[in-house]
Amino acid sequence: MIKAYKYRIHPTKTQMEFLNKSFGCVRYIYNWALNLRIEYYNQNKTSLSTYDIIKNLTVIKKDEDKLWLQEPVNECLQQSIRNMDSAYTHFFKHKMGFPNFKSKNRSKAACKFINGVGVDFDNKRIKIPKCGLIKFVCDRRFEGKIGTLTITRSTTGRYYASFVVTTTEAEPSPSPVDPKTTVGIDVGIKNFAILSDGTVFENMKYLENNEKRLKVLQYRLSKKQKGSKRREEAKHKLAVQYERITNLRTNYIHQVTAQIIAKNQSIVIEDLNIAGMLKNHCLAKSISSVAWGEFFRQLTYKSRFKGCNLIKIGRFEPSSRMCSCGHINHELTLSDRVWTCEVCGLTHD
């Protein structure tokens, strides 16, 4: 089974300098490879392969004005080219949007290591090529073969290490669907989630509750002179506030999904077009705040790890209009919050 583990790391000043240089080189190579592929396509009307771009990388690293590209690990630069190729391919296959050039002023950054990485849980150290041993917060352990190690830097300047590990655990097979251990989930904005057994999870509205503070920090940032030290401080305080909101929301979703997975063997969710719903400017802010996509993502991988059945109902199915007796209320509108079945008299939320 393939799993991912994320840890908070605490690099020294020297290690931090090396990681920041690696982030900069990775960003530069990504933009260089993207620009090279665009120019090649405009001239020849054919796409330049990733292998050819990597060969050109070996050439430019020998230029006198680009010797600084030899400081980071070479595979980090190659992975940056492969990431660009993946984004470029998705644009044509899945219409995901053309890849953008990465700005130098971005605080968030990442680089990927493959060979020469390791972890020592007893001494709480992570081994990275050319960087040495980095101290990390060891809150859990894993056993298995390490595939890749991704070092990320958040907008607040915190560093994290994410391992992709092939564990020795076998993925459990889901049990047969039993109506007694099956629950349906209806997500919403007024309430975060309502279960078919009557359980209601409240929408905590972390963004709305902190919106007043965010406006103050955004106003202070807008008044600072660009390029000044105080502007960087104001930008950092705003990023800390956004990260706090994100952590609170993610932690709440983890608690909700863990409770649902622990009590039920089969889970039924809606197949919502969240990207399409975000185009509604009246509800986009509330939908983004409640984070349905993250909720469904956690349910998907947690149910797979626990051997639960995850069933998706089509977005156009009359799930909210149908009574348990089979009668469908075709006159139900979005403003109707409660309705009573004309056939059996059962009241539905």
Side-chain angles (χ1 to χ4, degrees):
M1 185 186 302
I2 298 178
K3 290 186 176 182
Y5 296 87
K6 187 175 182 179
Y7 302 93
R8 173 80 182 276
I9 62 176
H10 298 282
T12 62
K13 291 185 178 180
T14 304
Q15 293 171 340
M16 199 178 301
E17 182 179 355
F18 171 80
L19 293 176
N20 291 336
K21 287 182 179 180
S22 299
F23 295 147
C25 293
V26 166
R27 177 198 58 83
Y28 177 85
I29 292 300
Y30 183 95
N31 294 341
W32 166 79
L34 179 59
N35 182 67
L36 184 64
R37 174 163 284 184
I38 293 174
E39 291 182 350
Y40 186 86
Y41 182 81
N42 292 334
Q43 295 176 2
N44 304 285
K45 300 303 178 182
T46 57
S47 180
L48 188 64
S49 67
T50 306
Y51 177 75
D52 293 332
I53 299 178
I54 293 178
K55 286 199 302 183
N56 290 331
L57 172 63
T58 307
V59 176
I60 69 166
K61 286 176 64 176
K62 298 179 181 180
D63 294 344
E64 294 183 359
D65 57 339
K66 294 183 176 61
L67 295 178
W68 44 271
L69 288 174
Q70 300 179 6
E71 296 184 18
V73 181
N74 186 58
E75 64 184 16
C76 294
L77 306 181
Q78 295 182 3
Q79 288 298 320
S80 178
I81 297 176
R82 293 188 176 94
N83 292 339
M84 182 279 303
D85 178 71
S86 177
Y88 194 84
T89 305
H90 274 67
F91 168 71
F92 291 99
K93 286 188 176 181
H94 307 288
K95 305 300 180 183
M96 299 294 292
F98 195 79
N100 298 321
F101 291 97
K102 296 185 178 182
S103 173
K104 186 178 181 180
N105 298 324
R106 280 188 62 185
S107 301
K108 192 174 183 180
C111 61
K112 186 180 294 185
F113 300 88
I114 299 178
N115 299 316
V117 299
V119 57
D120 185 358
F121 291 108
D122 296 331
N123 298 319
K124 300 180 181 180
R125 295 293 187 273
I126 294 176
K127 180 185 177 182
I128 300 179
K130 291 188 177 183
C131 191
L133 300 176
I134 299 180
K135 184 179 179 181
F136 75 103
V137 180
C138 182
D139 55 349
R140 52 182 173 167
R141 300 191 177 198
F142 61 81
E143 293 181 359
K145 182 181 179 181
I146 299 176
T148 60
L149 168 62
T150 303
I151 304 296
T152 57
R153 183 186 64 197
S154 66
T155 54
T156 58
R158 297 180 178 180
Y159 293 82
Y160 298 91
S162 301
F163 291 93
V164 176
V165 183
T166 303
T167 63
T168 56
E169 304 176 21
E171 185 172 331
S173 301
S175 303
V177 178
D178 185 0
K180 296 181 181 180
T181 58
T182 302
V183 66
I185 304 176
D186 177 45
V187 295
I189 296 176
K190 182 179 178 181
N191 293 308
F192 178 74
I194 302 177
L195 275 57
S196 57
D197 58 4
T199 305
V200 178
F201 294 100
E202 182 184 357
N203 182 10
M204 305 305 292
K205 296 183 178 181
Y206 294 109
L207 178 62
E208 291 81 355
N209 295 336
N210 292 272
E211 195 170 13
K212 186 176 180 180
R213 178 60 179 170
L214 287 174
K215 288 182 179 180
V216 172
L217 296 175
Q218 288 170 344
Y219 176 78
R220 292 176 180 175
L221 176 62
S222 65
K223 294 300 180 181
K224 299 295 186 294
Q225 184 178 358
K226 291 185 178 180
S228 63
K229 186 176 180 180
R230 289 189 176 183
R231 181 178 176 86
E232 292 298 323
E233 294 176 355
K235 184 179 179 181
H236 178 75
K237 290 182 180 180
L238 180 61
V240 170
Q241 186 66 18
Y242 269 116
E243 187 176 70
R244 177 177 175 273
I245 295 171
T246 302
N247 292 339
L248 289 171
R249 182 195 297 121
T250 305
N251 180 65
Y252 178 69
I253 295 176
H254 273 296
Q255 294 176 354
V256 172
T257 53
Q259 183 176 342
I260 294 174
I261 293 293
K263 293 183 178 180
N264 304 282
Q265 183 60 34
S266 301
I267 302 169
V268 186
I269 61 176
E270 302 172 87
D271 184 21
L272 296 178
N273 182 16
I274 301 176
M277 299 174 69
L278 289 175
K279 295 180 181 180
N280 184 345
H281 299 292
C282 298
L283 300 175
K285 185 177 180 180
S286 300
I287 294 175
S288 298
S289 174
V290 78
W292 291 339
E294 176 65 16
F295 176 63
F296 292 148
R297 187 191 71 84
Q298 291 189 18
L299 280 179
T300 301
Y301 81 80
K302 288 183 180 180
S303 61
R304 184 168 60 90
F305 291 163
K306 297 295 183 180
C308 299
N309 297 289
L310 186 66
I311 305 171
K312 293 185 178 181
I313 299 298
R315 65 194 66 164
F316 299 110
E317 300 294 334
S319 56
S320 60
R321 303 170 181 265
M322 181 180 291
C323 181
S324 57
C325 67
H327 174 71
I328 300 177
N329 185 3
H330 296 283
E331 300 179 355
L332 188 68
T333 61
L334 186 62
S335 60
D336 298 329
R337 312 312 302 170
V338 179
W339 66 281
T340 303
C341 180
E342 301 176 354
V343 179
C344 62
L346 188 63
T347 302
H348 301 276
D349 185 356

